[in-house]
Structures are given as structure tokens and as C-alpha cells.
Amino acid sequence: MSKVFTMCFVENNNQVLLQRRVKKPFKGLWNAPGGKVEAFESPLEACKREIQEETGLAIENVSFRGIMTVTNENQKRSDVLMLFHTKEVSGILSSSDEGEVAWVETEKIYSYENTPESFTYLLPYILETDSTLTGKIIYNKKRIEIFDINI
């Protein structure tokens, strides 16, 4: 059975909120915060909840930015990744047991080796366009085999 996940790109001036993951996938890498959509919860509700739980921040005026399917070659299913973006954030940034969080300058992220390849592929579409995205990411042995995105 497929699972539905959220990923929220939180932007503040020339910085993006990143979280160093303590769980698979991408354990030890910096990625946008998010997580699993729980029962009786909309993707937007899940996005806001995950940001609050994982970073201590409240987000508002969240925009739905797209949907991607994510598959590992050895899986027989694709998971669904719902993409969100906001520039409106309040509260005090704090790390959680889900991982350390930090504001990182956007330009540094593109050359930073400790972010997942898929994150750096998605980031310019999220930050530099207002379009809704759809596509798929297929992994083979933890490396991207196919990254297909449509605007």
C-alpha cells in the first residue's frame, strides 16, 4: 500500500529551513522537513503539524506546489510526496528528536554535498516559479535513476 508524505519548503529571506534526518531515507542528510500524513488528516494539516512538531515553528499561507511519486526499484509501490511552500513563519526554531534544524542560505544549498540529490533538483522549481509540479522520482540503489518533472 502506498504512503502519503509531505515536504515543506520554508523560506525566510534568502534562507531555507533544513532538517538533518535521523531516520531513513536520507539518514544524516539535510532535507526539507515534512512527514507522513496520518489518518483523518489532510496533506496541508499534516504539513503544518509536521513543521510544528519537528521545528517548533508555525507556518501560515502555505501553498500547495505539487505532487511527486517516489519509487525504489525494489518496491512494488510508489509513495506519494505532496510538496508545499511558505514564506510566513512564526515561533522559535528548535530541533526535535526528528533531527537538528537550521536556516541555510539558499545559494549554499546547491553546492552542499549533505542534501539529497532530489532535494536540490526540486528546490529551484519551488523557489523560482509559482507553478504546480507533478512528476516522479525513481531510485536504484539509493541513487536517482529517473527524475521526471512537469510544470
Side-chain angles (χ1 to χ4, degrees):
M1 174 187 278
S2 295
K3 297 176 184 171
V4 179
F5 296 90
T6 65
M7 176 181 274
C8 190
F9 294 79
V10 182
E11 191 177 3
N12 186 11
N13 296 318
N14 293 324
Q15 298 179 320
V16 175
L17 182 62
L18 295 182
Q19 178 181 51
R20 187 172 189 183
R21 293 190 50 85
V22 296
K23 298 178 185 175
K24 292 180 181 181
F26 309 121
K27 183 177 179 179
L29 298 180
W30 292 84
N31 205 354
K36 196 181 303 180
V37 177
E38 296 179 354
F40 310 108
E41 191 174 51
S42 75
L44 179 58
E45 290 169 331
C47 176
K48 289 181 172 185
R49 176 187 51 76
E50 289 285 354
I51 294 296
Q52 178 69 47
E53 289 176 359
E54 296 178 2
T55 72
L57 300 175
I59 55 175
E60 294 298 326
N61 291 324
V62 180
S63 300
F64 173 69
R65 295 303 308 282
I67 186 167
M68 303 285 291
T69 56
V70 181
T71 308
N72 287 309
E73 190 176 75
N74 59 354
Q75 289 178 313
K76 299 217 188 281
R77 72 179 196 311
S78 291
D79 290 327
V80 176
L81 181 61
M82 308 290 286
L83 305 172
F84 295 91
H85 175 247
T86 188
K87 293 181 180 181
E88 293 191 31
V89 60
S90 62
I92 298 172
L93 183 66
S94 60
S95 298
S96 70
D97 59 352
E98 294 291 327
E100 179 185 355
V101 290
W103 291 106
V104 178
E105 289 182 41
T106 306
E107 290 306 313
K108 289 184 178 181
I109 294 171
Y110 294 110
S111 60
Y112 194 50
E113 294 180 7
N114 291 324
T115 55
E117 192 177 15
S118 57
F119 177 77
T120 56
Y121 288 173
L122 285 169
L123 190 61
Y125 292 102
I126 299 295
L127 300 185
E128 298 170 19
T129 74
D130 289 327
S131 302
T132 302
L133 313 173
T134 185
K136 65 183 176 183
I137 305 170
I138 300 175
Y139 288 92
N140 182 6
K141 298 179 183 170
K142 298 184 182 182
R143 302 282 305 161
I144 291 178
E145 186 169 288
I146 296 172
F147 184 92
D148 181 24
I149 194 163
N150 296 291
I151 297 177

